[in-house]
Amino acid sequence: MEVNNVNQLNNLGGLQQQSLERISTGLSINDAADNAASLSIADSLKMQRSELSQSLQNLNTGIAVSNIADGALTSQIDILSDMRTQVLEAMNGTTSQEGKDAIQNELQKMMENFQNIAGSTTFAGQNLLTNPDGENQFTVATADNKTTIDLPATDTMGAELQTLLNDFSNEGLSNILNKIDSTVDQLQDIRSDFGSTAGQMQSEARNTISAQIDMARANSSLTDIDFGAEVSDFSRSSIMSQVGYLVATQANAVQEQSVRLLS
């Protein structure tokens, strides 16, 4: 067999191996030798996609924190609404002293429930409605931004209201009613802040998902193969290789026959 024929067959074998590797991985770039420039771009896109994926996870965590806190605040507002109804009943002139005592006891139990919600509302071990160490915040970090969620101290609000429950005189009841109303207003403002922050994070999350999709498409255009074209190339090189071996075999047979005739 002539050397150039051997080289041609080796080249065909290399092409077959390359096509087979691409078909098995689904990638047109499997090492730097395939396309160093495109591989570098693809690696950069992969790193950016990883950053976006973590950013999306962080945003989802922030949204979950906002939703959990909002649900707890809603429960606390409901408790205060029920307390307001009880206080109005106690302020009514037809309510006996025994009735007022029963209402006072009921209000104390409601406040205990209010405080339990404040103390038990947590996320990953972090209190969301109490400030045990003073300032309490939850930070949501993304690749391009940081969102800080200020966490309220509803336990402090509850403690202030709980103190007023000891005075059930007419003036005391009036003070309790005013405190309930101001506390409800505060909690509603806090809910509004949580809702606004959650809305911003949801918008950023949607943008992050869109960016992930765009990067996936860009990466696919760089690294993914055209299966139809690659299979066609593999089949063509396989046929050419088989033909090459057949021709080489026949050439060797002719050479051997010529040598025998000459000898």
Side-chain angles (χ1 to χ4, degrees), residues 133-172:
D133 302 316
E135 184 177 355
N136 196 17
Q137 294 180 327
F138 191 92
T139 301
V140 179
T142 65
D144 303 315
N145 188 30
K146 277 188 178 181
T147 301
T148 301
I149 303 175
D150 293 320
L151 301 175
T154 62
D155 58 328
T156 301
M157 301 177 194
E160 293 173 355
L161 179 55
Q162 199 163 21
T163 300
L164 295 179
L165 295 180
N166 295 323
D167 182 5
F168 237 55
S169 64
N170 291 333
E171 182 180 356

Side-chain angles (χ1 to χ4, degrees), residues 24 29 38 43 49 56 62 66-67 71 88 97 107 126 164 166 175 190 195 199 205 216 228 232-233 240 243 250:
S24 63
I29 304 174
S38 293
D43 286 343
R49 288 175 63 193
L56 183 60
S66 296
N67 290 339
L88 288 174
Q97 185 59 47
L107 291 177
Q126 181 172 0
L164 295 179
N166 295 323
N175 291 335
I190 295 169
S232 177
D233 289 345
M240 290 177 65
V243 171
Q250 290 176 341

Side-chain angles (χ1 to χ4, degrees), residues 80 84 176-186 188:
L80 293 178
R84 193 177 195 282
I176 292 171
L177 191 64
N178 290 334
K179 185 62 177 177
I180 288 175
D181 289 341
S182 64
T183 302
V184 168
D185 289 340
Q186 285 180 279
Q188 287 176 338

Side-chain angles (χ1 to χ4, degrees), residues 26-60:
L27 300 174
S28 61
I29 304 174
N30 292 286
D31 53 52
D34 292 332
N35 191 326
S38 293
L39 180 62
S40 176
I41 296 172
D43 286 343
S44 177
L45 288 173
K46 182 179 180 181
M47 184 170 61
Q48 292 179 57
R49 288 175 63 193
S50 178
E51 290 179 355
L52 289 174
S53 178
Q54 185 60 53
S55 294
L56 183 60
Q57 183 176 338
N58 291 352
L59 287 168
N60 285 333

